[in-house]
Amino acid sequence: MARETEFLALDDSAVRAVTGPNSRHVALIEDAFKVLVEAPGGGVSINGGARDRANAKQVIQTLADRAAKGATVTEADVRAALGEVRGGGRSTGDLMALPIGKRGAIVPKTNAQARYLETLARCELSFGVGPAGTGKTFLAAAYGANLLRRGQVDRLVITRPAVEAGEKLGFLPGDLNEKVDPYLAPIWEALNDILGAEDVQRRRDKGEIEAAPIAFMRGRTLSHAFVIVDEAQNTSRLQMKMVLTRLGEGARMVVTGDPSQVDLLNPRDSGLAHALRILRDVKGVGVLEFEATDVVRHAMVERIVRAYDADAAGKRLPADLEDTGPA
């Protein structure tokens, strides 16, 4: 197939984002599509076959669009864009962005993440389910923080089952926050990354951000709040029904979890799987299911998840995951 060169005009900031530190981003694109990408000034040139050029151009445009929205472009973004193009997906560049990230705007990395943000915006009760590393908890926290900063809700309420402590936290030292914080570490890490640790602490002191284990939700009505129910696969059916019915006037809720990682003594009692089954078609409820291909943490995490999925399904390791090198 004849190789030709195509030039894509970009401003300097977009070129830097596409190129990456030490040209690492360009190297990933070149390796994925067997093209040569150069930055002669005023944009980038792409040399290769017609299909490879088109694919590389789509990835480059997606990265440039992310940079234009104020998002920091990382290696994970490049890998996610490559995965989307290989899978025949649409570019995420023209979709929703949350302009609140401490290090730049938060923009979906994959089509699944884009649909997830659309679900959060459209539905009063949303479910984001799937393997670790797909961004379901981070994006829920980002969306809730965005609503809080814009004054669209009065509080951000975060709850999670403390399965390891059997919901009995009295033996742990400190006040309620100190007892619960270890179980909510992923949420606090996400919020600190989004808002900054000082802003998070200030809002916690004012009661604008509140965290409590599932057991402490009983008897409450959560009005004008954005509620995140994290690690929901470890709620029982009764706990899930209880927390879902806490919704009050002007409130929205997102339930996140991985149905394959149930830590309950009886996994069949998981309230998440039960809720998904009976609520999926209820008006006002939205469900987004992530897959292993949506993992955006590290390329190795996707391979690990796919290997475990193959084992659970009784299948052999996919060919692209096998080590075919010398022993």
Side-chain angles (χ1 to χ4, degrees), residues 70-94:
T72 300
V73 176
T74 66
E75 187 173 319
D77 297 318
V78 180
R79 293 187 184 279
L82 291 172
E84 289 297 310
V85 171
R86 285 167 170 161
R90 58 176 176 167
S91 167
T92 59
D94 59 344

Side-chain angles (χ1 to χ4, degrees), residues 159-302:
T159 187
R160 188 180 191 187
V163 169
E164 298 87 344
E167 293 289 354
K168 296 178 181 178
L169 304 173
F171 68 92
L172 293 173
D175 61 18
L176 178 60
N177 284 335
E178 292 170 324
K179 293 174 188 289
V180 173
D181 277 1
Y183 297 97
L184 295 170
I187 292 284
W188 296 131
E189 290 172 5
L191 287 174
N192 288 341
D193 194 47
I194 294 161
L195 297 174
E198 291 185 4
D199 192 21
V200 170
Q201 188 58 55
R202 179 178 62 82
R203 292 179 183 275
R204 290 186 71 179
D205 293 341
K206 293 173 62 179
E208 293 180 3
I209 298 178
E210 175 189 348
I214 291 284
F216 287 71
M217 293 292 106
R218 189 175 303 278
R220 300 184 60 187
T221 299
L222 303 172
S223 301
H224 305 291
F226 186 78
V227 185
I228 299 174
V229 183
D230 193 36
E231 295 291 334
Q233 75 275 4
N234 289 329
T235 60
S236 68
R237 294 188 182 192
L238 289 176
Q239 286 175 324
M240 178 63 77
K241 179 181 178 183
M242 180 272 291
V243 75
L244 292 179
T245 54
R246 298 309 92 199
L247 278 173
E249 181 181 355
R252 305 171 76 86
M253 180 180 290
V254 56
V255 179
T256 67
D258 181 355
S260 71
Q261 296 293 320
V262 179
D263 297 320
L264 299 174
L265 292 177
N266 181 3
R268 289 177 295 181
D269 190 41
S270 174
L272 178 58
H274 181 251
L276 288 170
R277 179 170 60 83
I278 67 173
L279 298 177
R280 185 179 295 269
D281 297 324
V282 171
K283 182 179 179 181
V285 174
V287 177
L288 197 290
E289 297 182 81
F290 293 93
E291 300 178 356
T293 52
D294 298 312
V295 172
V296 294
R297 277 185 187 164
H298 189 289
M300 192 66 206
V301 176
E302 178 190 345

Side-chain angles (χ1 to χ4, degrees), residues 78-134:
V78 180
R79 293 187 184 279
L82 291 172
E84 289 297 310
V85 171
R86 285 167 170 161
R90 58 176 176 167
S91 167
T92 59
D94 59 344
L95 299 178
M96 183 186 298
L98 303 175
I100 63 168
K102 188 176 62 172
R103 291 194 291 268
I106 295 170
V107 182
K109 298 176 186 292
T110 66
N111 286 320
Q113 287 193 353
R115 295 195 305 273
Y116 185 41
L117 286 181
E118 292 169 356
T119 300
L120 294 177
R122 185 181 73 252
C123 300
E124 296 164 287
L125 172 60
S126 304
F127 288 85
V129 296
T134 50

